[in-house]
Amino acid sequence: MSRRVNATTALWGLRLDPDDKPVAFAVGFVMLILLIGTGYTLYTQGSAPLLQPQYLLQQLQVGSFLGIVAAGLMLVILLGHIDLSVPWTLTAAAMIATAVGGPWAIPAGIGVGLVVGMVNGLGVAYLRVPSMIFTLGMNAVMRGLMVAHTGGFAPQTAATDLMQYLAVARIGDMIPAALLVWLAVSVAVVAILTRTTLGRSIYAIGNRERAAYLSGIDTNRVILVTFALSGAAAGLAGVLLAGYSTKAYQGMGDAYLLPAIAAVVIGGTNILGGRGRYLGTLVGVILIVLLNSVLSIMQMLEAGRQIIYGCVIISMLLVYGRGARVTG
Amino acid sequence: MSDTVLAPAAAEPKKKTLRWGDGLSLRWRKHAGILGALALFLVLYLFYQMSHPRGFTGQILIQNANEVFALALVSMAQTVPVLMAGLDLSVGAVMTLVGCIASHLVDGSPTDIALGIVACIAAGATCGFVNGCVVVYGRIQPIIATLATSAIYMGLALILRPTPGGKVQEDLSWAVASDVHEFAATFGLFDDGEATWLQPFAWIPVPLVLLALIILVIWVPFTRSVMGRTVYAIGSSETAAYMSGLPINRAKLAAFTLAGLFAGLGGLFLALQTSSGNADIPQAGAYTLNSIAAVVIGGTSLLGGTGSAIGSMIGAMVLRTISFNFRIFDVAPLLQPLFEGLVLLAAVSIGGLKLLRLKNRLEIFR
């Protein structure tokens, strides 16, 4: 997007675009996490499981659910909005998918996400309710619907074979199928953002919606479609997660919203919209996933995890995520 | 504020009545959000009281006030950053952390208790100040900065209270969660609460008195100070506020510190009321999200610049009254989240009606 050639910074002899800087730093931080984690395991166990491809692939497999959520969320954040309905959109999709079963399980799950996203889009675009509050309300509504649907218990229905295959299977005993799904979503998002008018419109609205509207973009429709895409991504993640754990359960999506926002922001996407690259989000997800796995290898308590988590986000953003000084 | 703006017009008698009418409508528009929320609250609460099987009693009022207090303060905390067009996702975490601190410190001799309470209040303000520093000097967007600090505060709370527990002094715990008479009787004030002049107020629940005190002693002076006005100005236009020479950075620090202070007071009360501390992550998250809802219902714009913590307090009351009504009408607990969500969506969607009145489509964009 707004590639400012004259604003490139020289770093280690490399010329870095401002949009590339977060990506480069995040990659560097991923390396640092791997280094620290490996040092720890070498010291305590005398082995380096973190560097084994098998282990890394397994981590990426678990991370692909977060990755798919973050991909959808990034689109919404680029608009300058946010989607807080992710947790229960994801859970609802998982529950409906397992309840429907059969060949229609996966389309039903994604469809649920799509519908929730469209309602979000209608509220945000056409009713002009701030996305923060409308998606929050949708989250409560979906939670209410699902609690009423299941009676508050974990549903007894199981994930279909195809859902389980997509979530846990290894292609050629090596590449996790879930990773391939994440890859497909990633390619789609990159294509949307860089090769379609929809993508350009998303960036334009994120920068200044009024200008986008005046240049002839049907901004309401773009917002609607973007929220629908985000909902569908959350739905897909829910379907896969249900496949991974063979069933849906209450609150399965709660652990995905804040890490997804963190991943998008660590990846250099401006939380106010209009700026950011998908590659950054990808690296951000990998960073969060590896950080989590290193912390669990270190058997860090929840308290320590939370503190480290917060410190990492702040320090990363202090390095490259700082806003401009107000100068009038 | 409308008074000062319109004051010079009073010199011209002919236009005086007209201007006065203008002032009234301006004033009406300025407070329309709060008045709307207040009307909603009164309708809901009257409905609740009238349908209550035991009718209106002081005990019910006390119970309701106790349930409202923490959310009301967390919502007031949320209001301050929202007025600057920011958001504080750490209010629930600060509340939880201060609650955990209180469950360790607020016990023992009267001096210990007093020091403990001061420490809790200071801890809340410090958390808010740290948020402010990250936002002002780190120049990180408030929503992300507080997302990160909330994780840190929750971590600290978990260190203090790995499992729910702790204890606060029983008399204090009992006194703050009852009515004025009991409060005075517990501490032997005003002839054990039997003083004649106290009788008209004896029935008022202590939490409501505390809320009124906090608003009168902290919130109202704050909005009338330079800091308070600057917070509103930043929300309207940060650039304009900067160009007017307002102390932007100090105001932001003050705003986040005040938010931490309010959230800390909420946590302190929660610890006193439940007589324990609990580092419950979902509970903290629920308080944070409900605080945003309460702020919006209370008529504060998420875009900043207009609104008031008093409105948010009423918003919190509306949210809680909705749950009270569920209890009365035996709405299946399973359906309650659904209704809560639908009410929230309906309440905020009504704001969409104003789009119909816009003459210029461009005005709908920020």
Side-chain angles (χ1 to χ4, degrees):
Chain A
M1 296 311 90
S2 43
R3 285 177 174 271
R4 293 188 207 146
V5 182
N6 55 355
T8 50
T9 37
L11 185 78
W12 305 311
L14 286 166
R15 290 177 72 76
L16 273 182
D17 189 283
D19 283 354
D20 289 329
K21 198 175 153 195
V23 182
F25 272 100
V27 168
F29 203 80
V30 167
M31 298 296 164
L32 188 68
I33 292 174
L34 282 179
L35 211 66
I36 293 174
T38 307
Y40 178 83
T41 51
L42 277 179
Y43 180 70
T44 52
Q45 304 160 13
S47 62
L50 271 176
L51 298 182
Q52 288 161 7
Q54 203 61 30
Y55 180 85
L56 286 175
L57 281 173
Q58 196 207 333
Q59 291 306 312
L60 287 177
Q61 179 187 5
V62 179
S64 48
F65 313 124
L66 178 64
I68 293 168
V69 171
L73 200 59
M74 184 203 178
L75 296 177
V76 171
I77 291 180
L78 278 176
L79 275 181
H81 289 289
I82 199 152
D83 187 352
L84 299 183
S85 70
V86 161
W88 281 91
T89 310
L90 191 156
T91 311
M95 287 179 171
I96 297 297
T98 56
V100 168
W104 286 100
I106 296 179
I110 299 176
V112 167
L114 199 68
V115 170
V116 175
M118 281 171 74
V119 176
N120 281 333
L122 282 174
V124 173
Y126 292 91
L127 293 179
R128 291 281 147 183
V129 180
S131 54
M132 181 81 69
I133 195 78
F134 197 89
T135 54
L136 187 64
M138 273 310 281
N139 193 47
V141 167
M142 291 318 290
R143 172 167 154 245
L145 283 176
M146 285 305 114
V147 168
H149 166 67
T150 58
F153 303 104
Q156 293 302 308
T157 46
T160 61
D161 292 341
L162 182 58
M163 282 159 71
Q164 298 195 25
Y165 176 83
L166 282 178
V168 293
R170 298 284 180 114
I171 312 282
D173 278 344
M174 190 70 191
I175 313 288
L179 190 57
L180 294 182
V181 179
W182 181 19
L183 202 67
V185 171
S186 300
V187 169
V189 169
V190 170
I192 289 174
L193 284 182
T194 58
R195 296 274 177 271
T196 66
T197 45
L198 175 65
R200 298 284 161 173
S201 309
I202 289 175
Y203 280 103
I205 293 173
N207 275 308
R208 193 167 284 267
E209 184 171 4
R210 192 179 280 215
Y213 174 76
L214 285 177
S215 35
I217 296 173
D218 184 350
T219 59
N220 284 352
R221 200 175 52 93
V222 172
I223 293 174
L224 177 69
V225 172
T226 311
F227 269 95
L229 288 176
S230 165
L236 177 61
V239 168
L240 288 181
L241 196 60
Y244 186 73
S245 41
T246 70
K247 59 183 173 38
Y249 51 95
Q250 305 285 335
M252 62 196 287
D254 290 352
Y256 283 87
L257 175 63
L258 296 185
I261 297 178
V264 171
V265 172
I266 285 178
T269 301
N270 187 338
I271 191 76
L272 300 180
R275 233 186 137 82
R277 299 178 59 195
Y278 182 74
L279 186 61
T281 302
L282 206 64
V283 179
V285 171
I286 293 173
L287 192 155
I288 298 259
V289 169
L290 282 183
L291 183 64
N292 269 335
S293 68
V294 167
L295 289 180
S296 55
I297 285 181
M298 291 180 170
Q299 291 170 341
M300 186 70 73
L301 291 173
E302 179 67 18
R305 269 169 191 256
Q306 293 275 339
I307 294 175
I308 293 176
Y309 207 61
C311 290
V312 164
I313 296 176
I314 290 187
S315 49
M316 301 274 311
L317 291 179
L318 281 179
V319 175
Y320 57 73
R322 307 183 75 194
R325 200 184 287 277
V326 177
T327 50
Chain B
M1 211 178 117
S2 52
D3 302 18
T4 48
V5 172
L6 295 168
E12 208 165 334
K14 198 184 167 193
K15 286 186 178 173
K16 194 175 175 185
T17 46
L18 187 73
R19 293 281 170 128
W20 185 79
D22 277 358
L24 201 68
S25 91
L26 188 71
R27 208 175 261 210
W28 161 249
R29 264 181 288 149
K30 195 179 144 199
H31 295 298
I34 293 188
L35 293 175
L38 190 61
L40 185 62
F41 165 69
L42 288 178
V43 168
L44 284 171
Y45 197 71
L46 272 178
F47 192 59
Y48 164 72
Q49 285 293 3
M50 283 181 354
S51 4
H52 199 288
R54 276 182 292 155
F56 185 88
T57 66
Q59 281 308 312
I60 297 174
L61 189 66
I62 291 170
Q63 192 194 345
N64 293 346
N66 284 334
E67 285 181 56
V68 157
F69 190 87
L71 182 62
L73 268 177
V74 172
S75 309
M76 286 165 66
Q78 183 70 267
T79 316
V80 198
V82 167
L83 285 175
M84 302 188 304
L87 207 65
D88 188 343
L89 294 184
S90 74
V91 284
V94 174
M95 180 197 82
T96 308
L97 174 58
V98 173
C100 291
I101 296 175
S103 70
H104 280 286
L105 293 184
V106 185
D107 201 7
S109 72
T111 327
D112 288 347
I113 293 174
L115 285 177
I117 289 178
V118 171
C120 288
I121 296 174
T126 310
C127 289
F129 183 71
V130 169
N131 285 340
C133 287
V134 176
V135 169
V136 169
Y137 300 112
R139 298 207 300 276
I140 299 176
Q141 276 302 318
I143 175 171
I144 294 301
T146 52
L147 176 71
T149 54
S150 77
I152 298 176
Y153 300 150
M154 276 318 293
L156 293 175
L158 279 168
I159 291 176
L160 287 173
R161 279 269 165 247
T163 51
K167 180 171 172 296
V168 296
Q169 210 252 340
E170 281 133 8
D171 281 355
L172 188 61
S173 176
W174 162 250
V176 297
S178 52
D179 59 20
V180 170
H181 176 265
E182 283 297 331
F183 186 86
T186 310
F187 295 112
L189 302 166
F190 316 124
D191 307 332
D192 283 352
E194 302 298 339
T196 328
W197 63 269
L198 192 69
Q199 294 318 307
F201 316 104
W203 57 276
I204 302 178
V206 175
L208 292 189
V209 176
L210 293 175
L211 269 180
L213 271 181
I214 290 169
I215 285 181
L216 286 178
V217 176
I218 306 179
W219 175 250
V220 172
F222 177 74
T223 51
R224 300 189 175 196
S225 67
V226 174
M227 287 306 153
R229 299 318 308 170
T230 307
V231 165
Y232 279 85
I234 292 173
S236 298
S237 164
E238 187 166 354
T239 321
Y242 175 85
M243 295 304 262
S244 319
L246 292 173
I248 288 191
N249 285 353
R250 264 187 295 149
K252 282 186 180 173
L253 284 175
F256 278 100
T257 310
L258 187 61
L261 178 72
F262 281 157
L265 286 171
L268 178 60
F269 182 84
L270 205 60
L272 288 176
Q273 187 202 349
T274 59
S275 202
S276 65
N278 182 6
D280 185 348
I281 297 181
Q283 190 199 31
Y287 266 94
T288 305
L289 296 182
N290 277 329
S291 76
I292 304 176
V295 164
V296 172
I297 292 178
T300 301
S301 163
L302 285 179
L303 304 178
T306 58
S308 145
I310 301 169
S312 306
M313 182 188 76
I314 299 170
M317 291 176 177
V318 169
L319 282 182
R320 282 291 189 248
T321 310
I322 293 171
S323 337
F324 298 158
N325 274 309
F326 287 150
R327 251 181 257 157
I328 295 296
F329 290 100
D330 266 346
V331 175
L334 292 177
L335 289 177
Q336 290 185 8
L338 177 60
F339 282 113
E340 278 171 17
L342 286 175
V343 169
L344 177 61
L345 280 189
V348 294
S349 297
I350 290 170
L353 292 178
K354 70 175 182 285
L355 296 181
L356 299 174
R357 283 195 320 215
L358 287 182
K359 296 190 183 74
N360 183 347
R361 270 189 66 85
L362 276 180
E363 281 177 23
I364 67 174
F365 307 118
R366 275 177 282 163

